[in-house]
Amino acid sequence: MHENFAWWRFGILYQIYPRSFQDSNGDGVGDLRGVIERLPYLRELGVDALWLSPIFPSPMEDFGYDIADYTGIDPVFGSLNDFDALVVAAHDLGLKIVLDLVPNHTSDRHPWFIESRSSRANAKRDWYIWRDPKGEGGPPNNWLSEFGGSTWEFDADTGQYYYHAFLRSQPDLNWRNHDVRRAMHDVMRFWLRRGVDGFRVDVMWHLIKDDLLRDNPPNPDFISGQQPYQQLIPLYSADRPEVHEIVAEMRRVIDEFDDRVLIGEIYLPLDKLVTYYGRDLAGAHLPFNFALISTPWNARTIAKLVGDYEAALPAGAWPNWVLGNHDRQRIASRVGGDQARIAAMLLLTLRGTPTLYYGDEIGMPQVEIRPDQVRDPWEKNVPGLGVGRDGCRTPMQWDSTLYAGFSTAAPWLPLDRNFGADNVAIERHDTGSMLSLYRALIRLRSERPELALGTYKLVSIAEALLVFEREHQDQRSLVALNFGCVSAEFDAAGLHGQILLSTFMDRQGEAIPKRLALRASEGLVVGLLG
Ligand code: TEU
């Protein structure tokens, strides 16, 4: 299919954190058979593609982001047969499957690393980043791990340090080594041949490091109380110029197959982020745009963000937007209930592919985790700084039964205490619920091509009211979002049309008057005539 019409442009991605979506075998942890059981729900919701966080064999020290075998399935999730069954069942329903590729690091139990650390002379020694101690001893440079502490771990048996950007049990692969590249390309082909529709590539901007391993400079803006990692600017340890060659090579593997997508997980400022589309757009199709997650929630900053992003995009590059993921605070808790509805309307009416995080469509909150319930290794390494990610990874709330319909056993992470009221079974029958809003937005987006594919134009920002327009082949929609907690008005003189959707689900069909009034925290999509 020609890329201008590719599914990942007009479609909607839905991220599943497999440990927490649906347990089918009563061990309190979600699995692939569980995902299969819930496919009809996803179909009904109206999303187009599922991205699964890692499901490969893993000691689970970072819950699957520490992989011990790239071409298997961890028994906690099922088997390769279950995976094949999932691909068939999803495709039968018209849903695509995107896998998580974690090429930056393996688990320290991966056979490649076990070989690599066995001796300096081992053929796989150079597959990881090994260095002698500096001077009298001590780590080779000052780089810090994202998860706390040094990035260098000393291996007494061979007298050298190895590099790990994350946990010490997650040694980084050496992407300067071409055998590593070839091996990872073969991993990609293995899954692409099995029918997967693409990859989300973990920490894409970390893949290659400075060849001279120069020290990172201190961060002059560091404030005590921030995560220790932020003491330095990761100038030499990430986002190196050579990374683009690696991404382009991955893209060539993707292009060996029809209609597949390459998505990059990249936390960088917009100007750097957009370089990951690659020269001549031969890089990632969608470098994830996480800016909505970190931008202060008000009309002005959001309008500026959208404008800056639109302006930064290279010609022909397709935008995308993300509101949440398994690493960040849930949107419902960050902005509050009614503003989470504004966020939903924004996500699904901006120009670009939206990614939904499981549970956000029912308004799941950041769940409070007691110290004795903490599972996240990052929180365990640097406690008390608020980095814990367990609260956004809690079990999906399906119904009001003992374990929320997620499992027949106590789940691996606690359920939110309000799950009895906030769940799929209840919200499905409530025409004013968050779930009904998401479904209506998704339906509208599929019915109105301007919402999926049209141009974006800022119309006005007045106080807390953001208004923009989307247009495609003479069909236009106006989106008005009230970020404030008082009512607001928009001068609609000369405009004709009707309300297609309110975030409160109650004004559909109203003709628009000369002055369009919005309640506190209300968002509207208006279909314009003429
Ligand atoms: O996440 C990387 C990540 O989210 C952060 O470490 C990020 O670098 C930082 O917040 C930037 O501000 C990916 C996965 O999503 C995460 O779950 C893994 O733990 C991590 O990589 C290691 O694989």
mmCIF file of all heavy atoms in Angstrom, residues 62 65-66 102 105 146-147 166 170 200 202-203 205-206 227 229-230 265 267 326-328 378 389 393, ligand 1:
data_model
loop_
_atom_site.group_PDB
_atom_site.id
_atom_site.type_symbol
_atom_site.label_atom_id
_atom_site.label_comp_id
_atom_site.label_asym_id
_atom_site.label_seq_id
_atom_site.Cartn_x
_atom_site.Cartn_y
_atom_site.Cartn_z
ATOM 1 N N ASP A 62 13.044 -5.934 34.964
ATOM 2 C CA ASP A 62 12.407 -4.700 34.484
ATOM 3 C C ASP A 62 11.116 -5.078 33.735
ATOM 4 O O ASP A 62 10.746 -4.459 32.753
ATOM 5 C CB ASP A 62 13.367 -3.907 33.588
ATOM 6 C CG ASP A 62 12.859 -2.492 33.309
ATOM 7 O OD1 ASP A 62 11.997 -2.008 34.066
ATOM 8 O OD2 ASP A 62 13.333 -1.875 32.336
ATOM 9 N N TYR A 65 11.472 -5.719 29.917
ATOM 10 C CA TYR A 65 12.424 -4.882 29.180
ATOM 11 C C TYR A 65 13.858 -5.374 29.415
ATOM 12 O O TYR A 65 14.819 -4.700 29.060
ATOM 13 C CB TYR A 65 12.247 -3.404 29.520
ATOM 14 C CG TYR A 65 10.995 -2.849 28.849
ATOM 15 C CD1 TYR A 65 9.773 -2.830 29.503
ATOM 16 C CD2 TYR A 65 11.036 -2.405 27.530
ATOM 17 C CE1 TYR A 65 8.622 -2.360 28.874
ATOM 18 C CE2 TYR A 65 9.889 -1.931 26.888
ATOM 19 C CZ TYR A 65 8.690 -1.910 27.562
ATOM 20 O OH TYR A 65 7.562 -1.458 26.923
ATOM 21 N N ASP A 66 13.969 -6.556 30.016
ATOM 22 C CA ASP A 66 15.257 -7.241 30.181
ATOM 23 C C ASP A 66 15.069 -8.617 29.532
ATOM 24 O O ASP A 66 14.538 -9.537 30.143
ATOM 25 C CB ASP A 66 15.630 -7.355 31.670
ATOM 26 C CG ASP A 66 14.494 -7.874 32.554
ATOM 27 O OD1 ASP A 66 13.309 -7.582 32.271
ATOM 28 O OD2 ASP A 66 14.792 -8.604 33.526
ATOM 29 N N VAL A 102 13.413 -4.446 21.892
ATOM 30 C CA VAL A 102 14.291 -3.814 22.881
ATOM 31 C C VAL A 102 15.736 -4.086 22.476
ATOM 32 O O VAL A 102 16.384 -4.990 23.018
ATOM 33 C CB VAL A 102 13.985 -4.345 24.307
ATOM 34 C CG1 VAL A 102 14.746 -3.554 25.362
ATOM 35 C CG2 VAL A 102 12.484 -4.290 24.594
ATOM 36 N N HIS A 105 19.539 -3.085 24.890
ATOM 37 C CA HIS A 105 20.154 -3.897 25.944
ATOM 38 C C HIS A 105 19.460 -5.243 26.002
ATOM 39 O O HIS A 105 18.324 -5.390 25.560
ATOM 40 C CB HIS A 105 20.049 -3.193 27.292
ATOM 41 C CG HIS A 105 18.693 -2.596 27.542
ATOM 42 N ND1 HIS A 105 18.383 -1.292 27.220
ATOM 43 C CD2 HIS A 105 17.551 -3.113 28.041
ATOM 44 C CE1 HIS A 105 17.120 -1.041 27.525
ATOM 45 N NE2 HIS A 105 16.586 -2.136 28.025
ATOM 46 N N GLU A 146 20.132 5.703 33.955
ATOM 47 C CA GLU A 146 18.803 6.319 34.065
ATOM 48 C C GLU A 146 18.094 5.856 35.336
ATOM 49 O O GLU A 146 17.248 6.547 35.877
ATOM 50 C CB GLU A 146 17.925 5.925 32.858
ATOM 51 C CG GLU A 146 18.374 6.568 31.567
ATOM 52 C CD GLU A 146 17.263 7.359 30.886
ATOM 53 O OE1 GLU A 146 16.240 7.666 31.530
ATOM 54 O OE2 GLU A 146 17.436 7.675 29.699
ATOM 55 N N PHE A 147 18.440 4.654 35.768
ATOM 56 C CA PHE A 147 17.743 4.090 36.930
ATOM 57 C C PHE A 147 18.531 4.251 38.232
ATOM 58 O O PHE A 147 18.287 3.557 39.207
ATOM 59 C CB PHE A 147 17.429 2.605 36.689
ATOM 60 C CG PHE A 147 16.308 2.374 35.701
ATOM 61 C CD1 PHE A 147 16.051 1.100 35.213
ATOM 62 C CD2 PHE A 147 15.486 3.414 35.279
ATOM 63 C CE1 PHE A 147 15.006 0.869 34.310
ATOM 64 C CE2 PHE A 147 14.444 3.204 34.383
ATOM 65 C CZ PHE A 147 14.205 1.924 33.896
ATOM 66 N N PHE A 166 20.541 1.297 31.882
ATOM 67 C CA PHE A 166 19.433 1.119 32.829
ATOM 68 C C PHE A 166 19.922 0.255 34.010
ATOM 69 O O PHE A 166 20.921 0.596 34.618
ATOM 70 C CB PHE A 166 18.197 0.582 32.098
ATOM 71 C CG PHE A 166 17.712 1.607 31.077
ATOM 72 C CD1 PHE A 166 18.154 1.590 29.754
ATOM 73 C CD2 PHE A 166 16.879 2.646 31.471
ATOM 74 C CE1 PHE A 166 17.749 2.569 28.852
ATOM 75 C CE2 PHE A 166 16.475 3.635 30.579
ATOM 76 C CZ PHE A 166 16.906 3.594 29.269
ATOM 77 N N GLN A 170 20.784 -5.131 32.885
ATOM 78 C CA GLN A 170 20.425 -4.823 31.494
ATOM 79 C C GLN A 170 21.650 -4.265 30.737
ATOM 80 O O GLN A 170 21.693 -3.079 30.411
ATOM 81 C CB GLN A 170 19.294 -3.777 31.451
ATOM 82 C CG GLN A 170 17.942 -4.304 31.933
ATOM 83 C CD GLN A 170 16.916 -3.186 32.121
ATOM 84 O OE1 GLN A 170 17.144 -2.247 32.872
ATOM 85 N NE2 GLN A 170 15.784 -3.285 31.435
ATOM 86 N N ARG A 200 7.601 -1.164 17.996
ATOM 87 C CA ARG A 200 7.892 0.030 18.772
ATOM 88 C C ARG A 200 9.287 -0.240 19.322
ATOM 89 O O ARG A 200 9.513 -1.247 19.998
ATOM 90 C CB ARG A 200 6.853 0.187 19.880
ATOM 91 C CG ARG A 200 7.157 1.262 20.938
ATOM 92 C CD ARG A 200 7.889 0.664 22.123
ATOM 93 N NE ARG A 200 7.974 1.596 23.249
ATOM 94 C CZ ARG A 200 8.762 1.419 24.291
ATOM 95 N NH1 ARG A 200 9.533 0.348 24.372
ATOM 96 N NH2 ARG A 200 8.782 2.274 25.271
ATOM 97 N N ASP A 202 12.315 0.301 21.670
ATOM 98 C CA ASP A 202 12.621 0.845 22.992
ATOM 99 C C ASP A 202 13.858 1.749 22.935
ATOM 100 O O ASP A 202 14.825 1.445 22.232
ATOM 101 C CB ASP A 202 12.881 -0.342 23.943
ATOM 102 C CG ASP A 202 12.927 0.066 25.405
ATOM 103 O OD1 ASP A 202 11.938 0.632 25.892
ATOM 104 O OD2 ASP A 202 13.962 -0.198 26.057
ATOM 105 N N VAL A 203 13.823 2.823 23.676
ATOM 106 C CA VAL A 203 14.922 3.807 23.816
ATOM 107 C C VAL A 203 15.791 3.965 22.556
ATOM 108 O O VAL A 203 17.013 3.860 22.607
ATOM 109 C CB VAL A 203 15.799 3.553 25.072
ATOM 110 C CG1 VAL A 203 14.984 3.743 26.337
ATOM 111 C CG2 VAL A 203 16.463 2.196 25.121
ATOM 112 N N TRP A 205 16.839 6.447 20.999
ATOM 113 C CA TRP A 205 17.892 7.469 20.992
ATOM 114 C C TRP A 205 19.134 7.075 21.797
ATOM 115 O O TRP A 205 20.151 7.750 21.762
ATOM 116 C CB TRP A 205 17.321 8.818 21.434
ATOM 117 C CG TRP A 205 17.183 9.078 22.909
ATOM 118 C CD1 TRP A 205 17.913 9.991 23.626
ATOM 119 C CD2 TRP A 205 16.273 8.481 23.846
ATOM 120 N NE1 TRP A 205 17.491 9.985 24.952
ATOM 121 C CE2 TRP A 205 16.504 9.076 25.116
ATOM 122 C CE3 TRP A 205 15.280 7.494 23.762
ATOM 123 C CZ2 TRP A 205 15.780 8.723 26.263
ATOM 124 C CZ3 TRP A 205 14.561 7.138 24.900
ATOM 125 C CH2 TRP A 205 14.810 7.746 26.123
ATOM 126 N N HIS A 206 19.041 5.950 22.494
ATOM 127 C CA HIS A 206 20.176 5.468 23.300
ATOM 128 C C HIS A 206 21.093 4.526 22.525
ATOM 129 O O HIS A 206 22.151 4.150 23.040
ATOM 130 C CB HIS A 206 19.654 4.663 24.498
ATOM 131 C CG HIS A 206 19.387 5.474 25.733
ATOM 132 N ND1 HIS A 206 20.337 5.711 26.671
ATOM 133 C CD2 HIS A 206 18.269 6.078 26.178
ATOM 134 C CE1 HIS A 206 19.820 6.425 27.663
ATOM 135 N NE2 HIS A 206 18.567 6.669 27.386
ATOM 136 N N GLN A 227 15.908 13.430 40.056
ATOM 137 C CA GLN A 227 16.574 12.129 39.958
ATOM 138 C C GLN A 227 18.066 12.357 39.726
ATOM 139 O O GLN A 227 18.441 13.238 38.964
ATOM 140 C CB GLN A 227 16.092 11.359 38.751
ATOM 141 C CG GLN A 227 14.633 11.225 38.558
ATOM 142 C CD GLN A 227 14.376 10.898 37.106
ATOM 143 O OE1 GLN A 227 15.156 10.212 36.481
ATOM 144 N NE2 GLN A 227 13.273 11.408 36.581
ATOM 145 N N TYR A 229 20.110 10.970 37.893
ATOM 146 C CA TYR A 229 20.481 10.914 36.475
ATOM 147 C C TYR A 229 20.550 12.306 35.852
ATOM 148 O O TYR A 229 21.329 12.561 34.943
ATOM 149 C CB TYR A 229 19.461 10.044 35.728
ATOM 150 C CG TYR A 229 19.662 9.990 34.238
ATOM 151 C CD1 TYR A 229 20.785 9.353 33.702
ATOM 152 C CD2 TYR A 229 18.758 10.580 33.354
ATOM 153 C CE1 TYR A 229 20.994 9.297 32.341
ATOM 154 C CE2 TYR A 229 18.958 10.530 31.982
ATOM 155 C CZ TYR A 229 20.076 9.890 31.482
ATOM 156 O OH TYR A 229 20.276 9.839 30.126
ATOM 157 N N GLN A 230 19.729 13.215 36.386
ATOM 158 C CA GLN A 230 19.660 14.541 35.769
ATOM 159 C C GLN A 230 20.811 15.465 36.152
ATOM 160 O O GLN A 230 20.876 16.607 35.710
ATOM 161 C CB GLN A 230 18.303 15.180 36.081
ATOM 162 C CG GLN A 230 17.218 14.447 35.300
ATOM 163 C CD GLN A 230 15.809 14.866 35.650
ATOM 164 O OE1 GLN A 230 15.557 15.422 36.709
ATOM 165 N NE2 GLN A 230 14.888 14.591 34.746
ATOM 166 N N GLU A 265 10.640 4.886 20.408
ATOM 167 C CA GLU A 265 10.465 5.538 21.705
ATOM 168 C C GLU A 265 11.618 6.509 21.893
ATOM 169 O O GLU A 265 12.780 6.095 21.991
ATOM 170 C CB GLU A 265 10.477 4.522 22.858
ATOM 171 C CG GLU A 265 10.151 5.205 24.194
ATOM 172 C CD GLU A 265 10.809 4.604 25.415
ATOM 173 O OE1 GLU A 265 11.848 3.915 25.269
ATOM 174 O OE2 GLU A 265 10.316 4.824 26.518
ATOM 175 N N TYR A 267 12.635 10.163 23.974
ATOM 176 C CA TYR A 267 12.362 11.320 24.836
ATOM 177 C C TYR A 267 13.417 12.379 24.538
ATOM 178 O O TYR A 267 14.527 12.334 25.075
ATOM 179 C CB TYR A 267 12.422 10.925 26.312
ATOM 180 C CG TYR A 267 11.206 10.162 26.789
ATOM 181 C CD1 TYR A 267 11.189 8.770 26.794
ATOM 182 C CD2 TYR A 267 10.069 10.841 27.232
ATOM 183 C CE1 TYR A 267 10.064 8.077 27.240
ATOM 184 C CE2 TYR A 267 8.946 10.149 27.678
ATOM 185 C CZ TYR A 267 8.951 8.767 27.676
ATOM 186 O OH TYR A 267 7.843 8.077 28.106
ATOM 187 N N HIS A 326 3.261 3.180 29.963
ATOM 188 C CA HIS A 326 3.548 2.396 31.165
ATOM 189 C C HIS A 326 4.678 2.970 32.009
ATOM 190 O O HIS A 326 5.092 2.346 32.988
ATOM 191 C CB HIS A 326 3.896 0.963 30.738
ATOM 192 C CG HIS A 326 5.162 0.923 29.929
ATOM 193 N ND1 HIS A 326 5.267 1.482 28.670
ATOM 194 C CD2 HIS A 326 6.393 0.445 30.217
ATOM 195 C CE1 HIS A 326 6.493 1.321 28.221
ATOM 196 N NE2 HIS A 326 7.191 0.695 29.136
ATOM 197 N N ASP A 327 5.224 4.120 31.602
ATOM 198 C CA ASP A 327 6.302 4.750 32.363
ATOM 199 C C ASP A 327 5.861 6.048 33.028
ATOM 200 O O ASP A 327 6.622 6.612 33.823
ATOM 201 C CB ASP A 327 7.488 5.083 31.441
ATOM 202 C CG ASP A 327 8.141 3.847 30.848
ATOM 203 O OD1 ASP A 327 8.186 2.808 31.531
ATOM 204 O OD2 ASP A 327 8.606 3.929 29.690
ATOM 205 N N ARG A 328 4.706 6.547 32.680
ATOM 206 C CA ARG A 328 4.328 7.895 33.095
ATOM 207 C C ARG A 328 3.009 7.930 33.846
ATOM 208 O O ARG A 328 2.158 7.054 33.663
ATOM 209 C CB ARG A 328 4.235 8.795 31.849
ATOM 210 C CG ARG A 328 5.584 9.002 31.176
ATOM 211 C CD ARG A 328 6.524 9.620 32.181
ATOM 212 N NE ARG A 328 7.905 9.531 31.782
ATOM 213 C CZ ARG A 328 8.639 10.580 31.418
ATOM 214 N NH1 ARG A 328 8.120 11.767 31.378
ATOM 215 N NH2 ARG A 328 9.912 10.418 31.113
ATOM 216 N N TRP A 378 13.064 0.719 39.339
ATOM 217 C CA TRP A 378 13.519 2.112 39.363
ATOM 218 C C TRP A 378 13.167 2.746 40.708
ATOM 219 O O TRP A 378 14.002 3.362 41.369
ATOM 220 C CB TRP A 378 12.862 2.874 38.201
ATOM 221 C CG TRP A 378 13.437 4.230 37.921
ATOM 222 C CD1 TRP A 378 14.489 4.830 38.561
ATOM 223 C CD2 TRP A 378 13.003 5.153 36.910
ATOM 224 N NE1 TRP A 378 14.715 6.066 38.016
ATOM 225 C CE2 TRP A 378 13.830 6.286 37.011
ATOM 226 C CE3 TRP A 378 12.002 5.139 35.945
ATOM 227 C CZ2 TRP A 378 13.677 7.402 36.169
ATOM 228 C CZ3 TRP A 378 11.851 6.232 35.109
ATOM 229 C CH2 TRP A 378 12.681 7.352 35.212
ATOM 230 N N ARG A 389 6.699 3.510 38.778
ATOM 231 C CA ARG A 389 5.836 3.319 37.605
ATOM 232 C C ARG A 389 4.748 2.288 37.825
ATOM 233 O O ARG A 389 3.963 2.012 36.920
ATOM 234 C CB ARG A 389 6.708 2.930 36.393
ATOM 235 C CG ARG A 389 7.777 3.977 36.062
ATOM 236 C CD ARG A 389 8.749 3.480 35.004
ATOM 237 N NE ARG A 389 9.553 2.356 35.504
ATOM 238 C CZ ARG A 389 10.460 1.716 34.790
ATOM 239 N NH1 ARG A 389 10.691 2.066 33.543
ATOM 240 N NH2 ARG A 389 11.149 0.710 35.308
ATOM 241 N N ARG A 393 0.480 0.911 35.996
ATOM 242 C CA ARG A 393 0.534 -0.430 35.386
ATOM 243 C C ARG A 393 -0.437 -1.402 36.053
ATOM 244 O O ARG A 393 -0.261 -2.612 35.966
ATOM 245 C CB ARG A 393 1.962 -0.990 35.523
ATOM 246 C CG ARG A 393 3.015 -0.148 34.831
ATOM 247 C CD ARG A 393 4.420 -0.662 35.103
ATOM 248 N NE ARG A 393 5.389 0.070 34.306
ATOM 249 C CZ ARG A 393 6.701 -0.140 34.313
ATOM 250 N NH1 ARG A 393 7.204 -1.080 35.102
ATOM 251 N NH2 ARG A 393 7.512 0.548 33.553
HETATM 252 O O1 TEU B 1 11.804 3.593 28.850
HETATM 253 C C1 TEU B 1 12.763 4.594 28.899
HETATM 254 C C2 TEU B 1 12.171 5.646 29.775
HETATM 255 O O2 TEU B 1 11.001 5.875 29.803
HETATM 256 C C3 TEU B 1 12.910 6.467 30.654
HETATM 257 O O3 TEU B 1 13.991 5.862 31.189
HETATM 258 C C4 TEU B 1 13.290 7.677 29.902
HETATM 259 O O4 TEU B 1 14.551 7.487 29.359
HETATM 260 C C5 TEU B 1 13.295 8.874 30.748
HETATM 261 O O5 TEU B 1 12.058 8.986 31.372
HETATM 262 C C6 TEU B 1 13.579 10.098 29.896
HETATM 263 O O6 TEU B 1 13.160 11.238 30.509
HETATM 264 C C7 TEU B 1 11.926 2.365 28.248
HETATM 265 C C8 TEU B 1 10.747 1.509 28.659
HETATM 266 O O7 TEU B 1 9.570 2.116 28.231
HETATM 267 C C9 TEU B 1 10.792 1.301 30.142
HETATM 268 O O8 TEU B 1 9.674 0.621 30.622
HETATM 269 C C10 TEU B 1 12.058 0.518 30.430
HETATM 270 O O9 TEU B 1 12.199 0.337 31.803
HETATM 271 C C11 TEU B 1 13.288 1.220 29.875
HETATM 272 O O10 TEU B 1 13.110 1.681 28.554
HETATM 273 C C12 TEU B 1 14.448 0.269 29.831
HETATM 274 O O11 TEU B 1 14.206 -0.707 28.846
#
